[in-house]
Amino acid sequence: MKVSFPYMGSTIVYKKLFEFLEHEVIMPPKPTQRTMDLGVKYSPEFACIPLKMVMGTYLEAIEKGAKVLVTSGGHGPCRAGFYGDTHRNILKSLGYDDVELIIFDAPQDNWKAFWRNVQKIRNGVPWPKVINRMYTLYRFVQKLDELEKMVQKIRPYEINKGQTTQVWNEIQEKFDKIKTRKELYKVYEECKKMLLSIPTKEVDEKDKIRVGIVGEIYVVMESSINFGIEEILGNLGVEVERSLYLFEWINDNLVPWALRPKRFKEIIKKGQRYIKILIGGHAVETVGHIIDFKERGFDGIIHLMPFACLPELVTQSLIPKISKEVDIPILSLPIDEQTGKANMLTRIEAFVDLLRNRKKGRTKEVFVNEFQQHADEERVVVV
């Protein structure tokens, strides 16, 4: 089958998945303004940006010859649960009756449907091969995420600007060529050495700034949507860590609850202090990670959300209260097709300045955006 998928984060993982299942992979192009324009043209106006950008990606993948599109579904009372069917209806209305859209909803929601989809994409590959290759892919994702976390810790202190990003691109090219588990471990060690050989400047621990990035999965993980926020922060001398990495997402969502990592359950518990019912999306995890980042000594939080995303709007409404109670600055950034990079960059730079001043004891202010109307509180600055 000529298979493609939405473009989100390190897409070589999805490419490798379908290569291991012996499909012909049609790589979707990295989202551009054209992708956005296509998505906006054919999507409902009220839909949030992930639906529109994925719609544009599907159309570009179909132009390249894709006949099967594979994606994940939504979970809980969030509009994302309807996005798969919405995409399917739009494709049908555009005359793409020969394109199949396979939607993987959470296995615990419908095991039978999940199993039928597994059988479809298994592509007749014998089960022993599938199990062996999926285990290789599992370790592939783990090692790639470990290297990406190293990138996020090295980039702020690199002496030659841009070198870490260049090495990261080379690492992804090397991972793209991996065929076996043996190759994986060998390449991983080579890539670690490449990162550790990057010249960096010495920075005292007390002067380091660390920011956690939380929010909806697509805007957090896809750099073409969030304007490469991790690189922006790195170039400003800030270490970053996301609330979402693909390896952790697999462990947190595809593993039965009883076997899920203890840390994930602790994050949920922390989030449920503020959101006690299931509202869909990543709202509970977002709040839980804010608390967790604070407890781990991070200096600030950037909250990314698609404009009008209902679960993240709930999170956003809680941010002034959380920010005050746990004493951590939080910058909330809604993103849609009208968002401009210059505006976002200005706000991020101002936020980083605030974090540096707090670090030096010059201020105790907490930074929130104009939608969080708490100007009467003396520790809150509205910008």
Side-chain angles (χ1 to χ4, degrees), residues 34-52:
R34 179 177 185 268
T35 317
M36 176 67 79
D37 292 343
L38 281 170
V40 169
K41 182 176 181 181
Y42 295 110
S43 302
E45 184 184 0
F46 60 83
C48 57
I49 195 168
L51 182 141
K52 295 172 183 174

Side-chain angles (χ1 to χ4, degrees), residues 41-107:
K41 182 176 181 181
Y42 295 110
S43 302
E45 184 184 0
F46 60 83
C48 57
I49 195 168
L51 182 141
K52 295 172 183 174
M53 193 60 102
V54 171
M55 187 70 247
T57 299
Y58 285 161
L59 293 173
E60 291 186 325
I62 291 170
E63 285 174 359
K64 293 178 70 177
K67 292 296 179 186
V68 177
L69 304 166
V70 183
T71 186
S72 61
H75 180 59
C78 166
R79 288 182 298 180
F82 299 103
Y83 282 3
D85 289 324
T86 305
H87 284 136
R88 185 180 281 138
N89 289 335
I90 293 172
L91 290 174
K92 190 175 180 183
S93 71
L94 293 175
Y96 295 115
D97 295 322
D98 57 339
V99 175
E100 183 180 9
L101 181 59
I102 298 176
I103 306 166
F104 275 90
D105 288 308

Side-chain angles (χ1 to χ4, degrees), residues 30 56 60 68 74 84-85 116 127 135 142 155 161 167 182 224 245 250 294 302 306 314 316 379:
K30 190 170 180 64
E60 291 186 325
V68 177
D85 289 324
R116 280 197 299 272
W127 277 111
Y135 182 70
Q142 179 189 31
R155 184 184 281 130
K161 284 296 175 193
V167 170
K182 186 177 178 182
S224 62
Y245 292 86
I250 291 170
K294 169 62 181 177
I302 292 184
V314 173
Q316 190 186 37
R379 299 186 317 130

Side-chain angles (χ1 to χ4, degrees), residues 50 55 84 105 191 297 311 344 349:
M55 187 70 247
D105 288 308
C191 293
M344 179 176 273
E349 287 174 342

Side-chain angles (χ1 to χ4, degrees), residues 63-247:
E63 285 174 359
K64 293 178 70 177
K67 292 296 179 186
V68 177
L69 304 166
V70 183
T71 186
S72 61
H75 180 59
C78 166
R79 288 182 298 180
F82 299 103
Y83 282 3
D85 289 324
T86 305
H87 284 136
R88 185 180 281 138
N89 289 335
I90 293 172
L91 290 174
K92 190 175 180 183
S93 71
L94 293 175
Y96 295 115
D97 295 322
D98 57 339
V99 175
E100 183 180 9
L101 181 59
I102 298 176
I103 306 166
F104 275 90
D105 288 308
Q108 62 269 25
D109 289 350
N110 189 334
W111 278 102
K112 287 184 179 178
F114 185 85
W115 181 249
R116 280 197 299 272
N117 286 337
V118 169
Q119 290 286 33
K120 277 185 187 176
I121 68 163
R122 183 169 71 90
N123 198 28
V125 177
W127 277 111
K129 273 190 178 180
V130 171
I131 293 168
N132 183 48
R133 290 173 181 177
M134 290 306 105
Y135 182 70
T136 300
L137 184 69
Y138 182 72
R139 294 301 173 200
F140 182 98
V141 179
Q142 179 189 31
K143 297 302 179 189
L144 196 61
D145 278 356
E146 286 178 8
L147 293 170
E148 189 175 17
K149 287 179 180 178
M150 286 181 67
V151 166
Q152 292 161 342
K153 288 180 182 297
I154 292 171
R155 184 184 281 130
Y157 314 116
E158 65 185 4
I159 291 174
N160 304 312
K161 284 296 175 193
Q163 186 176 0
T164 311
T165 300
Q166 184 181 343
V167 170
W168 174 234
N169 291 335
E170 291 171 12
I171 287 172
Q172 293 181 84
E173 288 175 11
K174 284 179 175 288
F175 265 65
D176 193 21
K177 295 173 184 170
I178 290 172
K179 305 284 185 194
T180 66
R181 206 145 58 236
K182 186 177 178 182
E183 288 179 12
L184 169 65
Y185 294 131
K186 183 183 174 188
V187 169
Y188 170 71
E189 293 301 328
E190 289 174 3
C191 293
K192 256 176 62 173
K193 289 178 184 172
M194 288 167 63
L195 285 170
L196 293 173
S197 67
I198 294 174
T200 55
K201 58 188 176 186
E202 289 292 329
V203 176
D204 198 291
E205 193 64 33
K206 66 179 175 52
D207 295 325
K208 290 183 177 178
I209 302 291
R210 295 197 296 162
V211 167
I213 299 176
V214 302
E216 191 271 340
I217 185 169
Y218 190 78
V219 294
V220 167
M221 295 187 66
E222 178 44 44
S223 63
S224 62
I225 282 290
N226 63 34
F227 301 99
I229 192 168
E230 294 171 32
E231 196 169 343
I232 290 172
L233 286 165
N235 290 336
L236 291 172
V238 176
E239 287 184 30
V240 299
E241 183 177 317
R242 299 194 304 263
S243 58
L244 287 158
Y245 292 86
L246 198 50
F247 182 69

